Amino acid sequence: MFGCQDKCVAPWEEESLLLLALAVLLSPLFWTEGTRLGGPDPLDYVSMYRNVGNPALNVPEHWHYVSFGLSDLYGDNRVHEFTGTDGPSGFGFELTFRLKRETGESAPPTWPAELMQGLARYVFQSENTFCSGDHVSWHSPLDNSESRIQHMLLTEDPQMQPVQTPFGVVTFLQIVGVCTEELHAAQQWNGQGILELLRTVPVAGGPWLITDMRRGETIFEIDPHLQERVDKGIETDGSNLSGVSAKCAWDDLSRPPEDDEDSRSICIGTQPRRLSGKDTEQIRETLRRGLEINSKPVLPPINAQRQNGLNHDRAPSRKDSLESESSAAIIPHELIRTRQLESVHLKFNQESGALIPLCLRGRLLHGRHFTYKSITGDTAITFVSTGVEGAFATEEHPYAAHGPWLQILLTEEFVERMLEDLEDLNSPEEFKLPKEYSWPEKKLKVSILPDAVFDNPLH
């Protein structure tokens, strides 16, 4: 714990900018007991500092928040499994946040601490971790005001480098508040690209990516030329968003619903089968960030074992995808056969459906893949292009299922046609739900449905 504290204190000690004396730091302004130790919140506490910024770099004065509790603070296996000093400490990171200080403000607002508790709660409950470039769709002003800052990107903290503690290595990921339009740009292109653009606009973050909740314009409204850079980036690079948690479902139209041999069991209103552990592992690997970067896109084999990054050193229960994972292996993997389907019906809510053009244009046309993982069950839908290796869907049999996991292989020609037919998904406010698209000769149907269909599947 003191290793992280020393890292936090150092930048402000040098500039005499620490909000509290060191003795007070050891009893921070904001404190909550750890979840695993009996308290209601996952973080032990959040420290808050006053930072005058850097006038030479046009960095304004701001409040700096640092979490404690996602990393291992104790080394006694009560909260995190201690795996040695060379590996990650706990989840391997802590969260930080920089909030612009308002004129006359003498104390830091405490709402960022609640925001960090919410993100930490997700990490503890899902055992999924964050990494630089990730985005978080929050769909609400971060401070519960009327602000346009309603979502988050994550990046390395510009002042706090990784630190070696007695219980492992800790990195510091900074939360950056963004507008909806900036979130969408990050989804369509990549988070790192949008973060770089934010750094070039002082009022939108500047070099230290300081969040200003009073910012009323997006970076594209402040500088319209930035949209051209995003469009060019999408055209050149595609999107590195390889999957999302979503409200989705699929039906096998090849068989009647009453067919007892139908292993899909994905129809809304039925009890879905669970993904096997190995299927879950493959989907999790499919969703890993950077899978396609600098290499030919590959879907890991179903029996793949994770061996890259820090996962090898981490407790087996830890997961590295941002996506929700709720599955348990209740069906022996070898008893689930892969089936080729003749006709399928895909179902999405409006938010998930709006990402289909991104899936097609930003991923498949660049030879990649994209996965929708259901947040309400074990359903998964992976779109793959002909350039992706390791898929069980093929050009001869483009629709294939392994338990509740559906893969759909789309040729470039069909993708181009779908993009034309799905053009109105780019302006979802202009159509009413439900909305249906159909390609009879391909035996494919897509429906965009109200959230209530997925929230109350039996009604």
Side-chain angles (χ1 to χ4, degrees):
M1 177 171 70
F2 294 104
C4 287
Q5 286 179 336
D6 291 343
K7 190 71 174 181
C8 295
V9 172
W12 296 276
E13 283 183 330
E14 295 172 0
E15 303 172 16
S16 299
L17 300 175
L18 188 59
L19 179 63
L20 305 175
L22 180 58
V24 179
L25 170 65
L26 300 181
S27 299
L29 289 175
F30 188 87
W31 176 276
T32 54
E33 295 182 0
T35 294
R36 305 299 174 90
L37 301 181
D41 295 315
L43 297 175
D44 286 66
Y45 60 90
V46 176
S47 288
M48 309 174 191
Y49 308 88
R50 180 173 174 176
N51 190 315
V52 296
N54 188 325
L57 298 177
N58 199 22
V59 176
E61 187 173 356
H62 59 278
W63 303 110
H64 194 189
Y65 302 75
V66 182
S67 75
F68 287 83
L70 287 165
S71 62
D72 191 351
L73 304 181
Y74 309 102
D76 56 9
N77 292 313
R78 284 185 297 169
V79 180
H80 300 283
E81 180 178 351
F82 177 58
T83 57
T85 59
D86 295 333
S89 171
F91 287 104
F93 70 97
E94 292 289 354
L95 296 169
T96 74
F97 182 62
R98 295 176 185 269
L99 177 67
K100 182 180 178 181
R101 179 174 174 264
E102 300 296 338
T103 302
E105 203 168 44
S106 60
T110 57
W111 64 261
E114 293 291 345
L115 183 72
M116 297 168 91
Q117 291 284 8
L119 293 177
R121 188 171 296 109
Y122 163 79
V123 173
F124 271 98
Q125 292 176 353
S126 68
E127 295 188 328
N128 297 322
T129 60
F130 294 121
C131 62
S132 180
D134 279 345
H135 69 266
V136 179
S137 303
W138 200 251
H139 300 291
S140 177
L142 304 188
D143 61 352
N144 294 316
S145 67
E146 299 298 320
S147 174
R148 293 185 68 179
I149 308 300
Q150 301 187 8
H151 308 281
M152 292 166 272
L153 298 179
L154 292 161
T155 188
E156 298 92 349
D157 189 287
Q159 284 187 297
M160 303 181 68
Q161 301 302 311
V163 59
Q164 177 72 58
T165 76
F167 311 130
V169 179
V170 181
T171 60
F172 296 90
L173 290 178
Q174 180 175 317
I175 300 165
V176 182
V178 296
C179 302
T180 299
E181 294 84 350
E182 294 155 358
L183 171 77
H184 290 166
Q187 292 174 327
Q188 293 166 9
W189 184 23
N190 60 71
Q192 296 291 6
I194 299 305
L195 288 164
E196 287 302 317
L197 296 184
L198 288 167
R199 289 186 178 98
T200 68
V201 182
V203 298
W208 289 8
L209 292 171
I210 297 168
T211 298
D212 181 0
M213 294 303 297
R214 295 192 177 187
R215 174 161 69 96
E217 294 180 300
T218 71
I219 57 173
F220 308 113
E221 293 167 339
I222 295 171
D223 184 354
H225 292 96
L226 295 182
Q227 184 62 56
E228 298 176 7
R229 293 178 59 180
V230 173
D231 294 339
K232 184 177 180 180
I234 295 172
E235 181 180 353
T236 303
D237 307 327
S239 171
N240 70 351
L241 178 66
S242 59
V244 294
S245 295
K247 292 183 178 180
C248 62
W250 63 270
D251 286 339
D252 174 7
L253 301 181
S254 312
R255 296 184 177 185
E258 65 272 10
D259 189 340
D260 292 335
E261 295 299 317
D262 186 358
S263 64
R264 63 187 169 85
S265 298
I266 302 300
C267 288
I268 293 178
T270 66
Q271 177 65 36
R273 289 194 179 191
R274 308 302 299 274
L275 283 170
S276 72
K278 292 183 179 180
D279 284 339
T280 298
E281 182 70 15
Q282 185 183 0
I283 292 175
R284 191 158 59 238
E285 289 292 341
T286 299
L287 297 175
R288 283 183 55 79
R289 288 180 48 80
L291 182 64
E292 76 292 339
I293 297 177
N294 297 325
S295 63
K296 190 171 183 179
V298 177
L299 283 171
I302 292 175
N303 61 355
Q305 300 294 320
R306 268 185 300 166
Q307 295 293 336
N308 63 336
L310 296 176
N311 301 330
H312 184 64
D313 299 322
R314 185 176 296 167
S317 62
R318 300 293 194 224
K319 304 168 186 174
D320 279 314
S321 168
L322 180 61
E323 308 309 314
S324 171
E325 301 288 354
S326 61
S327 59
I330 66 173
I331 302 178
H333 170 78
E334 60 275 10
L335 296 182
I336 302 179
R337 58 192 174 89
T338 299
R339 297 188 298 107
Q340 285 77 44
L341 314 180
E342 294 182 6
S343 179
V344 294
H345 181 192
L346 311 181
K347 303 175 182 180
F348 303 94
N349 74 335
Q350 185 168 347
E351 181 180 6
S352 301
L355 291 175
I356 296 177
L358 158 66
C359 162
L360 301 178
R361 180 178 293 107
R363 298 292 299 179
L364 270 65
L365 287 183
H366 290 265
R368 301 171 184 170
H369 52 78
F370 189 90
T371 295
Y372 286 94
K373 172 68 175 67
S374 173
I375 61 175
T376 59
D378 278 344
T379 302
I381 302 170
T382 297
F383 292 89
V384 299
S385 67
T386 54
V388 175
E389 296 180 350
F392 45 79
T394 65
E395 290 192 60
E396 183 179 2
H397 300 288
Y399 312 135
H402 193 84
W405 182 13
L406 174 69
Q407 287 188 7
I408 297 180
L409 187 146
L410 302 176
T411 64
E412 181 175 344
E413 179 182 2
F414 188 31
V415 168
E416 295 283 7
R417 179 182 168 190
M418 289 182 68
L419 282 170
E420 293 181 5
D421 295 341
L422 298 172
E423 180 65 29
D424 56 351
L425 285 179
N426 294 315
S427 304
E429 66 281 355
E430 298 179 3
F431 64 82
K432 296 182 179 181
L433 302 180
K435 180 78 172 181
E436 184 174 297
Y437 306 88
S438 181
W439 298 270
E441 75 285 1
K442 297 291 186 179
K443 298 183 178 179
L444 175 64
K445 182 164 64 174
V446 174
S447 292
I448 312 299
L449 304 172
D451 281 358
V453 175
F454 301 91
D455 297 336
N456 301 288
L458 299 181
H459 298 284

